[in-house]
Amino acid sequence: MWQQLVYGVVEGAMYALIALGYTMVYGILGMINFAHGEIFMVGGYAGVLATGLLLASGAPPFLPLLLAGGVLFAMVASSAWGATMERVAYRPLRGSPVLCPLIVAIGSSFFLSNLVMVCQGNVRLRAPSVARDWLVTTRLHLGGDVHVSALEIAILGAAAVMMAGLTLFIRSTRLGRAMRATAQDRTMAGLMGVPIDRVIAATFLIGSALAAVAGFMWALYNSAILYTEGYLPGMKAFTAAVLGGIGNVPGAMVGGFLLGIVEGLGVGLVSSDYKHVYAFVTLLLVLLVLPRGILGERVAEKV
Amino acid sequence: MKGLRPALNVLLLGVTAAAVTFPIASIRWRQDRDMPATITADALRIGIAVCLVGWAALGLGALVRRLRRTEVARAAAGLATRPAPRIAFLGLLAVVLLALPFVASRQIANLAVETCIYAVLALGLNVMVGYAGLLVLGYAAFFAIGAYTFALLALRLGLGLWVSLPAAGAVAMLAGLLIGLPSLRLRGDYLAIVTLGFGEVVYYFLRTEVALTGGEFGLPNKDLPGDLQKHTSLFGSGPLLEPTQWYWPALGLLLLAVFVIRRVERSRVGRALMALREDETAARCMGIDTMRLKLSAFAFAAMWAGFAGVLWAGKRNYADPRSFDFMQSIMILAMVVLGGLGSIPGAILGAVLLHAGPSLLRNVFPGIQEYRLLIFGGLMVLLMVYRPQGLLGSARLRLRAPPEGAPP
């Protein structure tokens, strides 16, 4: 059971990274970016393909180099998709009824996952063993049967660094302040001279980059990635974002970890048959008590 | 220079497409053949293709604009708004619908039956999303409940369609009330995610509870053998086996759904639903019991999915969880939104386009199979960007400003 808890925390870290993208976009645009799971999946593919290119180009099989190359390339690839999607599909629809961006998101998500299928084939893309073996076999024993692999520590560490970085960024940079202002009141922020379009594009860039890192982690952690694998993690990450209170950045982190832990405990204590159900049941129970999520603001009804 | 602007924009789009697709389109890594990763020129080709398609579209657009200015086009537009063509269109539609089972191949009849079932689903979901403005993302769950209710009743108790249809409707209604109750406090996106969760829970329940539902194998299976279609006699005509035989029940259900939902739309309840959509607080101030109304909307919409589920399981002679995953819910929602929110013909058109469209596309262009969903996703995006109100929908506009001469 404790081992399952470890798995849960690690998966939770990845959910949290994806959830940040959902929650940032929601906070600023008030829309659910359903294609975010696909952005995450593209990140996984791009990361693995980049390590493949590095290996093929005769670069030394030096682990940090491979990982850094994969992460960087994944971030660039996913951010490019995120920003393009925003520019081509979401921006023309700003201000139209909520359901339109939703359908566009679903369409883009079809498009993206099938593009990957057409280009990369209907087979799982395996993460190269050079980039993975040492990380998985090096283990730290925590007593009993419980152990943590170097990969798990790396995932948790990277996630922590990225979350801390994002928090600092939002709190103390000019662009971060612009983002907060836009989330609070887009029209007012625009009148105050905040370049709204650029802020929104930046939000998509950053959210996609975070998801890309999670995607590369996912590919390494599960040893491979497939074009359909954006959906379920994406859905769960969205659940995590709602759980924490959508639109709320610390909430997404809390929600992600909570979801991972609940899943781990559920698998460890009850059964793994319902692994994918625990997330949604938790959400239902939490929303019954706190209809706006754990850290969501209590907004007074505007009449 | 000004005339070049669109062409330059398309070029920019092509360059972007090449750059963006580079990571996944241009890096090939055939791991199965132990080949190292290589870079191909595929992204470049995609970019060029986007440019060509874009320029073609620009040219076509200019042509259409020029044609529209001619006298003939104006006369045609004037003709289309008169009632006579409308009657002619309905007549033609009736003839096609009546003749279809006699002339169509088995495959086309099958497609027609499925499209009718999807149209019923789209109409039902339209009540919730289009009229009441409640975004529901787990509608396939009710569909599944209908299908499994019929399968279990037929296999375990040997009951036929006449019992199963109302029973499935009732069970689906109960499920609608069940999920509607906790949803009453939630608004907008929170409601969406909770219903999505409900759909997923039902889906995994069906896959996991092997003793009751046969798990992934569905019903009937080797532990619960049987033949669903043995129990599908409707008017003493014997069991319905062929798609052409299913056509009439499916079309009948669709017509019933159109009739009933149209009556509801124009009733007190329908107006109350739309008031709920426009402004919940204001609706409550006008004395509308929003709790009861929301619950009724949930139950009513779920009921149609239950009916549709019975026909689905009966036609396929089989009920398995794969037909009821999240993608299914999304497809039904896409039918409603693409056709036009709150529009009955729109929902039906959406079902025809989204269900029959891809299959027909595959038949006409066999080579397209692999690219089918890619094209489909792209078209969905384009359609929404250029026509956000859906193909036939303008529910909000109609509510705000009735056209001249419209019935009160």
Side-chain angles (χ1 to χ4, degrees):
Chain A
M1 183 204 119
W2 292 108
Q3 186 61 50
Q4 291 296 340
L5 191 63
V6 172
Y7 296 152
V9 172
V10 174
E11 288 200 358
M14 295 189 269
Y15 292 150
L17 281 183
I18 313 171
L20 284 170
Y22 276 111
T23 221
M24 283 164 68
V25 167
Y26 189 92
I28 289 189
L29 285 178
M31 62 163 276
I32 307 170
N33 180 13
F34 258 109
H36 196 59
E38 259 50 60
I39 298 271
F40 152 83
M41 179 269 297
V42 166
Y45 264 91
V48 174
L49 287 171
T51 55
L53 269 187
L54 278 176
L55 287 173
S57 67
F62 176 54
L63 193 61
L65 177 75
L66 286 180
L67 292 185
V71 165
L72 274 182
F73 194 68
M75 285 168 93
V76 171
S78 289
S79 305
W81 269 111
T84 312
M85 225 185 266
E86 193 273 328
R87 183 66 192 85
V88 174
Y90 296 144
R91 196 177 296 179
L93 283 175
R94 233 179 264 160
S96 56
V98 218
L99 274 174
C100 296
L102 186 75
I103 296 296
V104 164
I106 292 163
S108 343
S109 129
F110 271 13
F111 182 82
L112 206 45
S113 61
N114 282 282
L115 185 71
V116 172
M117 185 201 71
V118 167
C119 293
Q120 297 290 338
N122 196 352
V123 282
R124 290 168 71 86
L125 183 71
R126 276 176 289 116
S129 49
V130 194
R132 198 172 168 269
D133 283 353
W134 182 83
L135 283 173
V136 181
T137 47
T138 312
R139 286 173 166 172
L140 185 68
H141 286 270
L142 296 180
D145 283 341
V146 187
H147 47 76
V148 187
S149 72
L151 179 61
E152 284 161 345
I153 294 175
I155 289 178
L156 287 177
V161 168
M162 302 206 66
M163 288 177 199
L166 181 73
T167 312
L168 273 181
F169 171 80
I170 292 180
R171 191 174 297 166
S172 44
T173 62
R174 214 180 139 79
L175 186 56
R177 197 165 63 225
M179 275 181 183
R180 277 181 289 139
T182 314
Q184 226 169 48
D185 189 330
R186 207 188 320 158
T187 324
M188 258 340 261
L191 292 174
M192 294 292 132
V194 175
I196 303 292
D197 282 344
R198 238 180 284 164
V199 170
I200 292 174
T203 310
F204 272 84
L205 280 175
I206 295 170
S208 307
L210 293 174
V213 178
F216 188 45
M217 289 171 174
W218 189 270
L220 289 175
Y221 195 55
N222 297 328
S223 84
I225 190 142
L226 183 67
Y227 71 101
T228 53
E229 273 173 15
Y231 159 63
L232 208 56
M235 240 29 324
K236 283 188 196 157
F238 176 50
T239 311
V242 177
L243 200 61
I246 194 153
N248 181 311
V249 171
M253 302 177 193
V254 173
F257 278 111
L258 184 68
L259 207 66
I261 290 169
V262 166
E263 247 182 47
L265 288 181
V267 171
L269 294 176
V270 191
S271 105
S272 61
D273 286 343
Y274 279 112
K275 182 176 184 212
H276 305 306
V277 170
Y278 299 128
F280 299 110
V281 172
T282 314
L283 176 79
L284 211 73
L285 294 180
V286 170
L287 286 190
L288 274 182
V289 187
L290 304 164
R292 290 197 165 266
I294 297 171
L295 296 182
E297 314 143 50
R298 309 271 169 284
V299 186
E301 204 68 50
K302 282 184 208 153
V303 182
Chain B
M1 196 58 212
K2 208 178 163 194
L4 272 179
R5 268 298 281 285
L8 285 178
N9 279 342
V10 170
L11 187 67
L12 190 67
L13 193 67
V15 173
T16 317
V20 165
T21 52
F22 174 78
I24 45 179
S26 261
I27 306 179
R28 280 298 145 76
W29 194 8
R30 300 303 306 267
Q31 294 177 331
D32 47 334
R33 292 188 206 148
D34 271 335
M35 275 160 50
T38 49
I39 295 182
T40 68
D42 284 352
L44 197 63
R45 287 191 203 114
I46 292 179
I48 293 171
V50 167
C51 282
L52 292 179
V53 170
W55 282 321
L58 283 182
L60 206 68
L63 198 69
V64 167
R65 269 197 299 280
R66 196 164 298 168
L67 279 180
R68 211 181 265 166
R69 280 191 221 113
T70 61
E71 280 303 313
V72 184
R74 237 175 259 157
L79 206 65
T81 50
R82 289 198 197 125
R86 196 180 137 87
I87 292 168
F89 171 74
L90 286 179
L92 192 68
L93 191 69
V95 170
V96 170
L97 285 179
L98 286 175
L100 198 119
F102 302 106
V103 295
S105 68
R106 198 165 176 277
Q107 205 185 358
I108 297 285
N110 193 32
L111 197 59
V113 174
E114 285 182 9
T115 308
C116 282
I117 295 175
Y118 275 104
V120 173
L121 287 170
L123 284 172
L125 185 62
N126 191 24
V127 172
M128 272 200 263
V129 186
Y131 297 161
L134 303 167
L135 180 51
V136 172
L137 291 178
Y139 195 59
F142 304 121
F143 189 34
I145 287 169
Y148 274 87
T149 305
F150 167 58
L152 287 173
L153 285 179
L155 293 175
R156 292 208 185 265
L157 305 175
L159 296 172
L161 280 184
W162 285 122
V163 184
S164 294
L165 270 174
V171 175
M173 273 174 102
L174 273 181
L177 290 179
L178 191 75
I179 186 62
L181 269 176
S183 311
L184 287 175
R185 287 181 67 188
L186 307 171
R187 283 196 175 185
D189 301 304
Y190 288 90
L191 176 71
I193 183 77
V194 165
T195 53
L196 183 154
F198 170 71
E200 291 290 290
V201 171
V202 168
Y203 173 68
Y204 283 105
F205 178 84
L206 295 179
R207 281 179 55 150
T208 313
E209 291 302 314
V210 181
L212 183 67
T213 64
E216 305 224 23
F217 300 106
L219 290 170
N221 55 38
K222 65 179 193 303
D223 295 322
L224 190 56
D227 186 5
L228 289 185
Q229 292 190 332
K230 230 169 58 191
H231 307 281
T232 56
S233 178
L234 264 183
F235 296 101
S237 58
L240 307 166
L241 302 173
E242 285 296 308
T244 39
Q245 288 173 304
W246 281 100
Y247 180 74
W248 298 115
L251 187 65
L253 182 66
L254 175 58
L255 291 179
L256 182 72
V258 171
F259 176 74
V260 173
I261 292 175
R262 212 176 136 88
R263 300 302 299 165
V264 168
E265 180 188 1
R266 290 164 191 208
S267 70
R268 206 184 140 82
V269 179
R271 287 195 303 274
L273 282 173
M274 282 173 235
L276 184 70
R277 172 188 71 194
E278 297 298 319
D279 190 333
E280 184 172 339
T281 315
R284 205 181 303 159
C285 293
M286 302 308 287
I288 292 171
D289 185 348
T290 51
M291 295 272 165
R292 227 178 87 186
L293 193 67
K294 277 188 191 175
L295 277 183
S296 330
F298 262 101
F300 182 70
M303 179 188 76
W304 290 107
F307 291 156
V310 174
L311 288 194
W312 181 257
K315 193 219 63 148
R316 306 209 330 154
N317 201 3
Y318 187 54
D320 73 319
R322 269 184 300 277
S323 324
F324 310 110
D325 59 0
F326 175 65
M327 236 33 248
Q328 190 78 286
S329 300
I330 286 299
M331 286 302 283
I332 304 168
L333 182 67
M335 290 169 187
V336 176
V337 178
L338 286 180
L341 272 178
S343 150
I344 290 176
I348 297 173
L349 182 69
V352 171
L353 286 182
L354 290 197
H355 187 67
S359 306
L360 291 177
L361 209 64
R362 185 176 47 199
N363 281 355
V364 180
F365 309 103
I368 217 166
Q369 171 65 12
E370 206 183 18
Y371 301 91
R372 194 168 53 115
L373 285 171
L374 183 75
I375 297 171
F376 179 71
L379 285 181
M380 253 165 100
V381 173
L382 284 181
L383 187 66
M384 269 295 113
V385 170
Y386 287 105
R387 209 176 152 77
Q389 72 274 41
L391 287 168
L392 297 180
S394 53
R396 293 185 75 99
L397 298 175
R398 200 171 56 214
L399 277 178
R400 291 276 151 79
E404 279 178 11

